[in-house]
Amino acid sequence: MFFNRRPPSPTELSDAELLTRYRQLGAVADLGVLYERHMPTVFAICRKYLRPDEDAQDAVMQLFEKLLDTLRRHEVDNFPAWLHATTRNHCLMILRARQRAGPESGPLIVHFPAAAGVEWVGPAHLTDDAADQELTEARLQALEQAMADLPAAQRRCLELFYLEKKCYRDIARETGFDPSLVKSHLQNGRRNLKRHLDSAPNPNASR
């Protein structure tokens, strides 16, 4: 006698298995389970970039709709790391759209701790002055480039420590680094980030 085995429930599958099955079958339930697993982290990242919380919640939902199409077409090896970067980029796109929309959209605020010796963007209140908007965009682009130029380990430790508010022990557990190495990556990352930004062209020079 032959028995038909039921397909495994989405909750029984790993991230990689859910991704593979979603690419093959396109079942939204599979992607929903996968996204729900990582939603606390996605929301935490959105809250670092967007205020009020309602805007962060909207971004979380918008990102899921975006993933419905993207993950059918692209293969992702390390989903948590890819999702982290995708969420960050999505938030930056929202901030840029607000900036282009004008002052009625409110202040452009991207948080980065002053203790790092680095200004992320500020709070930068938008005005009708196009030069002020260009200045804010230039700072944002400079920071993005500086972060991208960091060694991957330093960049990841900075993101986990400052954006996700994780302690050394949690970062060590997530990355596999020794806690002393986490500390070293944070120190070197802050120093290199500041060096990159200090050496970048000063947007005030053209004003």
Side-chain angles (χ1 to χ4, degrees):
M1 182 180 294
F2 295 94
F3 296 92
N4 292 325
R5 296 183 59 186
R6 67 172 179 83
S9 166
T11 57
E12 299 172 344
L13 300 177
S14 67
D15 286 2
E17 289 170 333
L18 284 170
L19 280 172
T20 298
R21 197 164 78 171
Y22 179 68
R23 281 196 303 273
Q24 294 173 344
L25 305 177
V28 176
D30 287 341
L31 185 59
V33 169
L34 176 63
Y35 193 61
E36 187 173 357
R37 288 177 185 173
H38 299 274
M39 192 177 293
T41 298
V42 171
F43 181 59
I45 296 171
C46 290
R47 288 191 69 207
K48 300 302 178 184
Y49 288 88
L50 305 173
R51 291 290 188 274
D53 279 359
E54 287 78 7
D55 286 358
Q57 293 168 356
D58 288 344
V60 172
M61 294 300 101
Q62 292 166 7
L63 186 59
F64 179 73
E65 294 175 0
K66 179 179 179 180
L67 298 188
L68 287 170
D69 176 62
T70 301
L71 291 176
R72 287 300 305 274
R73 296 182 290 105
H74 298 286
E75 186 172 351
V76 176
D77 293 327
N78 186 338
F79 182 72
W82 179 87
L83 182 61
H84 185 283
T86 300
T87 302
R88 174 179 172 273
N89 290 338
H90 182 70
C91 292
L92 292 175
M93 288 175 59
I94 292 174
L95 291 175
R96 286 186 179 130
R98 287 182 180 178
Q99 181 176 344
R100 289 192 295 268
E104 64 276 6
S105 298
L108 173 61
I109 302 176
V110 183
H111 299 279
F112 199 79
V118 177
E119 180 187 9
W120 184 277
V121 171
H125 292 270
L126 304 181
T127 69
D128 290 328
D129 185 348
D132 284 343
Q133 295 186 22
E134 292 173 2
L135 177 59
T136 301
E137 176 69 10
R139 287 174 177 167
L140 184 58
Q141 290 178 348
L143 177 67
E144 286 185 78
Q145 185 59 54
M147 287 290 288
D149 289 342
L150 291 177
Q154 294 178 14
R155 180 172 63 252
R156 184 60 178 149
C157 286
L158 285 174
E159 290 174 341
L160 289 171
F161 187 75
Y162 288 116
L163 296 183
E164 300 187 27
K165 302 297 184 182
K166 294 184 181 292
C167 65
Y168 285 13
R169 182 179 57 189
D170 289 342
I171 296 174
R173 183 183 303 115
E174 182 161 334
T175 62
F177 298 144
D178 184 88
S180 62
L181 186 56
V182 170
K183 181 178 180 180
S184 176
H185 283 325
L186 287 170
Q187 291 174 340
N188 292 333
R190 286 192 296 262
R191 181 168 56 251
N192 289 334
L193 187 60
K194 189 173 188 303
R195 184 183 301 120
H196 276 295
L197 293 177
D198 287 345
S199 64
N202 183 359
N204 286 303
S206 62
R207 298 198 65 180

